[in-house]
Amino acid sequence: MSSSDFPATGSLRVAGSEYSFSDLPAQFGTRLLQLPVVLRILLENALRHMAGAERAGAVEALLAWLATGRSEAEIAFQPGRVLMHDTTSTPALVDIAAMRDALAEAGADPTRLNPQLPVDVSVDHSLAVEAYARPDAAALNLQHEMRRNAERYRFLRWAAQELRNVRIHPPGTGIMHTINLEQLATVVTTQVREGRQWLVPDTMIGTDSHTPMINGIGVLGWGVGGLEAQTVMFGMPTMIRIPEVTGVRLLGALGAGVQATDLALTVTSRLRKLDVTGEFVEFFGPGVSTLTAGDRAVVANMAPEYGATTGFFPVDAQTLRYLRETGRSAGAIARVEAFCRATALWFDPDAVPRYTRTIEIDLGAIGIHVAGPHRPQDLLEFGETGRALRELAFQPAAGGGMPRHPVAIAAITSCTNTSDPRLLIAAGLVARKARALGLRAPAWVKTSLAPGSPAAASYLRRSGLLADLEAVGFGIVGYGCTTCIGNPGPLTESIQRAQADGAAKAVAILSGNRNFPGRVHPDLELSFIMSPALVVVFGLAGDAERNLREEPVQRTQDGRAVHLRDLWPTREEIATQLATALAAGDFARDFALASRNPLWQALKAPQGARFPWDPRSNALRRPPFAAASEGSLLGRYAAWPLLVLGDDVTTDHISPASAIPRDSLVADYLVARGESRDDLNVFASRRGNWEVMMRAAFHNKTLRNLLCPQAPVAHTLHVPSGQVQPIWEVADRYRRDGESVVVIAGERYGMGSSRDWAAKGQRLLGIRAVLACSFERIHRSNLIGMGILPLRLPAGIAPATLAIRPGDRIEIDAPGDTLQVRAQVPVRIVRADHSVQAFTATAAIETGLEVELLRAGGVIPSILKQALA
């Protein structure tokens, strides 16, 4: 597009250089200031990437939003870059490799398929906590990771070598969202158009639901499934309906002892109750200015937990301070400030834009909190863990020698709460005070510290706090997602024995973002989320049932009770340590050093435009759905229910990421192919192998199949025969008999991680539609990306009221030629006794592009057909 096409082009001189920019205030005047800042960024994006009638329509629709705070209009959003991690990039890149094969087999040039946007891949999801509480733990865990995943990592190196615009950040460089904050995000970036330098907002999407963490420094980005990311990386925009925007007005300031984690958990609880599913959330009001960029990033990170697409904080002085603290150049920071002020993207604490709806949160009223023991929105005061656990009424068998609800895992983990140095400094101060009193975690507690950034070791060591953390058991075990993503390694032997004997029901304590049953570890159904400092305290206590508001954490050797108040740091103590600990040069230097990981550099990647698949591989197999011949699943059909599920079925239930149980059918399959039953790695490491992941679908012992409640894990009923078999075998029987299958579920189907394998697994099982009371945003998109029709059940109808019984069949009338956005789809339940219950479901389709994808059979057939055209 020519620069002359822009209706209002401004000019800025920053640090001696001239830049052009889209002058939003000059073109839109006071109407611009009425829009939420997130919609101002969408407006700038539309102006820059569209032309003619398309651009005029998008601008008109965005401004018309002001009338009601709602819109049915679709606009195209073109992000500037894509961020992935190793266990979402592997299946996406496997798809691309397989599509290259399909092109070559059709006589086309396989190198036609290349990402058009920059794609950064962080290898952060495969680090497990095997070694802990020893000085060499990080090195040992990295060695285990490289050994277990060498084949998959060689494939990633092939992708970076053979595909344009793909850059891999190797193991040890940190967690993707921390890397994004510290290394990748520019907030404002430059583009060259017709020989002129332009300033534009840094925008992005990521294949992880916690991508909105970057919203904390004013970068608009959100999480998508790997399938949607594939369309974007090949240069296509992502089509979105102009969203509702909920404004969260923050007042006051956080009180003494309260940390960013407490605010994030409070926001999560409040917004889940409000139901902001699929909406943008933007924070405004005077309280925003009291929060550091680190505080904001914690709150923004948990956007998927409160159900939103974004958790956006506009740019202000706190943003610039963060950029300075992490070593950005003076020129880059000057460009951010000048551009944001000139385009009305700079935060005004007194401004009150138009929002769809607003809520208020008084920061001063927030206390110290935890969330759990099953969901991140279940907010508790920190002394209420015992009450919540007692409500479960677990009765232990005699003996065991440990509490009824012992702390099995105490993990300072996750980008959510390790990216802000203040949170780690606070944990270190707790450890320092505990060390001085001679305290240490009980032997049954598995302790760990896995920061999101290798710079954490530098500033903790400089302050002397790393030695204090190590002394009480919280030494660094590596730089990756570890426990938060379900890679905590094995539990201690004493915990395993106590649980096997029925003497204890153990609990995970973590500074992560999710605590669904079985997510952290397959043998742990109970987990609490909390700040890193509080993780240390509970780890020292060793008893999750203890009321730490009133009861002591531990006793010293001379019998003196040590309470939380004796360990908890003041805000002044944190600030003092921070001032001496942080050095801006750490971030770039430590990242560069970690990037030169010699174990990674030693891996030899294959050569050639097409990847050489090995039929003996248990990690990488060419997937059958990556073919142009894959057709649409739409139509008129009668289907058997493959599974009938309840509320809150997460993507962890649908496609687990945690350790592969050694006694599972998946383990049997891998052992039969030569793997060791004692070293099976995690499900997430097998996402390049469709045979494994098909067998892994719905493999979660906490998942209850209402069609066959007594079925073993990952089993269901084959209705015609009355036999209970593994789900994939039942699905295969239906397929061979030419029968269709569907899934029925309750509220919030697909909540949790963005993993596209939760949809791919269902496609491989032959599922044509999912009928649910509601869908989480990313999983809904992934289902469509695999050609599966998401149908929203009407009010008053749910799995419990449908009462599906063996012999009932579901008739769906959804032909492709009549399907539209939010179409009404007739559904009939034909009972085994021949009675019929009819109702109308709503197609959970938000854009015209999604309609086209369903008609094509999904993202991959659509990409292939375009490449072959």
Side-chain angles (χ1 to χ4, degrees):
M1 186 188 305
S2 168
S3 60
S4 61
D5 290 337
F6 286 96
T9 300
S11 180
L12 283 171
R13 187 170 183 81
V14 184
S17 298
E18 290 287 340
Y19 299 96
S20 298
F21 68 98
S22 299
D23 195 339
L24 302 180
Q27 183 169 353
F28 301 109
T30 57
R31 290 180 300 171
L32 180 69
L33 301 181
Q34 295 170 25
L35 283 172
V37 176
V38 282
L39 295 193
R40 299 176 206 177
I41 297 174
L42 292 183
L43 181 61
E44 191 278 344
N45 194 271
L47 287 172
R48 188 157 37 89
H49 289 287
M50 299 179 191
E54 182 187 25
R55 183 173 65 192
V59 170
E60 181 181 357
L62 282 161
L63 295 176
W65 182 94
L66 288 169
T68 62
R70 300 177 188 276
S71 177
E72 296 300 317
E74 300 172 27
I75 61 170
F77 173 68
Q78 182 66 70
R81 54 191 178 91
V82 177
L83 180 64
M84 312 181 89
H85 58 71
D86 56 299
T87 61
T88 54
S89 67
T90 298
L93 295 170
V94 163
D95 289 349
I96 293 172
M99 284 190 280
R100 279 190 160 197
D101 288 340
L103 287 179
E105 289 160 0
D109 180 1
T111 62
R112 283 187 188 180
L113 278 182
N114 271 297
Q116 303 301 304
L117 293 180
V119 178
D120 282 281
V121 175
S122 167
V123 184
D124 62 3
H125 269 54
S126 300
L127 178 68
V129 186
E130 303 291 345
Y132 70 101
R134 51 185 290 177
D136 57 352
L140 289 172
N141 291 329
L142 181 59
Q143 290 170 16
H144 282 303
E145 177 187 0
M146 296 299 297
R147 174 183 57 80
R148 286 173 170 161
N149 298 284
E151 182 183 3
R152 185 161 57 92
Y153 289 175
R154 280 192 291 269
F155 170 75
L156 292 178
R157 296 208 70 182
W158 169 83
Q161 170 185 285
E162 300 296 337
L163 301 177
R164 290 195 300 271
N165 295 319
V166 175
R167 178 170 58 171
I168 311 291
H169 304 290
T173 52
I175 301 175
M176 62 185 295
H177 305 304
T178 313
I179 292 172
N180 200 15
L181 283 167
E182 295 179 357
Q183 309 295 332
L184 305 180
T186 57
V187 185
V188 171
T189 190
T190 59
Q191 289 183 352
V192 177
R193 292 175 178 270
E194 297 182 333
R196 295 168 60 188
Q197 286 276 354
W198 283 69
L199 293 179
V200 301
D202 178 13
T203 57
M204 48 89 60
I205 59 166
T207 58
D208 185 274
S209 56
H210 294 102
T211 299
M213 188 171 204
I214 204 64
N215 297 173
I217 60 170
V219 174
L220 182 57
W222 58 82
V224 300
L227 294 158
E228 185 175 348
Q230 286 180 42
T231 67
V232 173
M233 71 172 68
F234 287 119
M236 290 177 272
T238 181
M239 298 300 298
I240 61 172
R241 183 176 59 82
I242 298 176
E244 287 81 47
V245 183
T246 292
V248 180
R249 187 166 188 257
L250 300 181
L251 304 172
L254 294 174
V258 177
Q259 299 183 30
T261 312
D262 306 308
L263 170 58
L265 296 178
T266 301
V267 169
T268 299
S269 178
R270 288 284 304 276
L271 291 181
R272 264 295 172 186
K273 292 174 184 174
L274 191 64
D275 188 7
V276 296
T277 303
E279 297 181 13
F280 282 19
V281 166
E282 180 171 302
F283 295 88
F284 72 110
V288 170
S289 299
T290 70
L291 300 175
T292 67
D295 294 333
R296 299 171 188 180
V298 176
V299 177
N301 177 284
M302 293 193 71
E305 279 65 58
Y306 43 85
T309 303
T310 69
F312 189 79
F313 291 85
V315 173
D316 67 357
Q318 294 279 17
T319 313
L320 305 185
R321 177 185 176 190
Y322 176 81
L323 296 175
R324 281 191 294 272
E325 288 176 344
T326 50
R328 268 52 168 226
S329 71
I333 296 169
R335 286 192 293 272
V336 170
E337 181 172 8
F339 175 79
C340 291
R341 288 188 183 276
T343 52
L345 300 181
W346 187 263
F347 178 65
D348 178 358
D350 298 321
V352 183
R354 202 278 194 237
Y355 293 106
T356 308
R357 55 183 168 174
T358 62
I359 65 167
E360 284 191 357
I361 294 179
D362 180 357
L363 299 177
I366 295 172
I368 302 175
H369 288 295
V370 303
H374 293 126
R375 301 185 305 177
Q377 64 262 44
D378 296 333
L379 188 70
L380 299 170
E381 189 267 344
F382 75 93
E384 295 181 315
T385 56
R387 176 186 61 76
L389 292 170
R390 286 190 292 275
E391 289 176 357
L392 303 176
F394 169 71
Q395 295 300 322
M402 64 176 63
R404 176 168 59 171
H405 290 292
V407 174
I409 290 171
I412 301 174
T413 178
S414 175
C415 54
T416 310
N417 289 301
T418 70
S419 298
D420 182 5
R422 290 160 185 80
L423 291 175
L424 292 186
I425 293 288
L429 287 167
V430 169
R432 174 168 291 176
K433 295 178 181 184
R435 180 188 188 188
L437 292 167
L439 309 186
R440 192 174 173 86
W444 62 75
V445 182
K446 185 170 187 177
T447 53
S448 61
L449 165 59
S453 170
S458 291
Y459 62 71
L460 288 173
R461 187 176 292 111
R462 188 177 292 114
S463 65
L465 294 173
L466 184 58
D468 296 314
L469 285 159
E470 291 170 341
V472 297
F474 288 88
I476 291 176
V477 297
Y479 306 96
C481 300
T482 60
T483 303
C484 183
I485 195 58
N487 282 345
L491 304 175
T492 61
E493 290 186 8
S494 55
I495 287 286
Q496 293 182 54
R497 284 196 304 271
Q499 293 216 129
D501 295 342
K505 195 171 184 67
V507 177
I509 299 294
L510 70 156
S511 64
N513 44 52
R514 293 189 178 127
N515 54 346
F516 307 130
R519 175 182 170 90
V520 170
H521 190 284
D523 295 332
L524 297 179
E525 297 180 18
L526 307 172
S527 303
F528 290 101
I529 300 170
M530 59 192 68
S531 68
L534 207 52
V535 168
V536 176
V537 175
F538 269 93
L540 293 169
D543 182 359
E545 202 171 351
R546 191 169 300 170
N547 179 355
L548 293 181
R549 178 175 286 282
E550 299 176 1
E551 299 177 67
V553 177
Q554 268 195 37
R555 292 185 180 274
T556 61
Q557 287 188 343
D558 60 6
R560 181 163 70 88
V562 179
H563 288 83
L564 179 78
R565 60 179 175 270
D566 301 318
L567 302 175
W568 206 248
T570 66
R571 183 168 297 167
E572 292 72 24
E573 288 174 319
I574 296 171
T576 299
Q577 286 294 327
L578 195 67
T580 58
L582 280 188
D586 290 346
F587 296 90
R589 183 197 66 239
D590 293 348
F591 181 74
L593 182 62
S595 297
R596 295 194 289 270
N597 178 343
L599 297 176
W600 176 263
Q601 299 297 332
L603 292 174
K604 301 300 182 185
Q607 305 285 321
R610 295 176 64 183
F611 182 74
W613 307 101
D614 181 352
R616 298 167 298 176
S617 173
N618 290 325
L620 301 165
R621 299 287 301 281
R622 180 178 172 180
F625 49 71
S629 59
E630 287 288 293
S632 173
L633 300 179
L634 299 173
R636 296 183 178 93
Y637 54 89
W640 294 105
L642 185 63
L643 295 152
V644 180
L645 308 169
D647 295 342
D648 296 318
V649 174
T650 72
T651 51
D652 284 285
H653 289 114
I654 304 169
S655 185
S658 56
I660 298 173
R662 66 189 313 277
D663 59 351
S664 65
L665 292 174
V666 178
D668 293 345
Y669 170 78
L670 288 168
V671 169
R673 290 179 56 86
E675 298 277 354
S676 166
R677 196 174 293 273
D678 294 322
D679 195 20
L680 295 171
N681 211 337
V682 292
F683 284 108
S685 71
R686 307 287 179 174
R687 288 181 186 162
N689 185 338
W690 67 272
E691 291 271 14
V692 173
M693 298 311 295
M694 179 178 66
R695 289 165 170 78
F698 298 100
H699 195 292
N700 189 299
K701 69 180 182 180
T702 67
L703 187 68
R704 187 164 180 258
N705 179 6
L706 301 178
L707 183 66
C708 188
Q710 304 308 313
V713 175
H715 283 61
T716 194
L717 176 68
H718 180 256
V719 175
S721 69
Q723 293 179 318
V724 174
Q725 295 177 286
I727 293 170
W728 73 273
E729 290 185 2
V730 171
D732 188 54
R733 288 184 69 174
Y734 282 129
R735 181 187 294 108
R736 285 186 277 110
D737 292 340
E739 301 279 7
S740 298
V741 293
V742 298
V743 166
I744 298 173
E747 298 283 0
R748 297 171 292 277
Y749 185 73
M751 67 188 297
S753 296
S754 67
R755 60 194 64 156
D756 54 359
W757 259 107
K760 288 177 175 176
Q762 292 178 80
R763 174 81 188 218
L764 288 169
L765 294 175
I767 294 165
R768 296 182 71 170
V770 176
L771 297 87
C773 298
S774 64
F775 295 88
E776 289 290 283
R777 176 184 60 86
I778 296 177
H779 186 61
R780 183 200 64 80
S781 172
N782 276 335
L783 288 172
I784 291 171
M786 287 307 297
I788 299 170
L789 178 62
L791 291 174
R792 191 174 294 114
L793 294 169
I797 293 183
T801 60
L802 283 175
I804 298 293
R805 297 288 182 266
D808 295 349
R809 300 192 77 182
I810 296 91
E811 293 182 352
I812 293 173
D813 187 2
D817 57 349
T818 60
L819 190 69
Q820 298 295 333
V821 171
R822 301 183 192 176
Q824 299 301 290
V825 176
V827 178
R828 288 171 19 115
I829 309 297
V830 181
R831 304 290 182 180
D833 63 4
H834 305 297
S835 64
V836 175
Q837 179 183 356
F839 57 87
T840 301
T842 301
I845 305 171
E846 294 296 321
T847 68
L849 175 61
E850 291 182 342
V851 174
E852 294 304 316
L853 289 174
L854 285 166
R855 290 173 178 166
V859 164
I860 294 171
S862 179
I863 291 173
L864 280 173
K865 287 169 186 174
Q866 289 185 42
L868 289 168

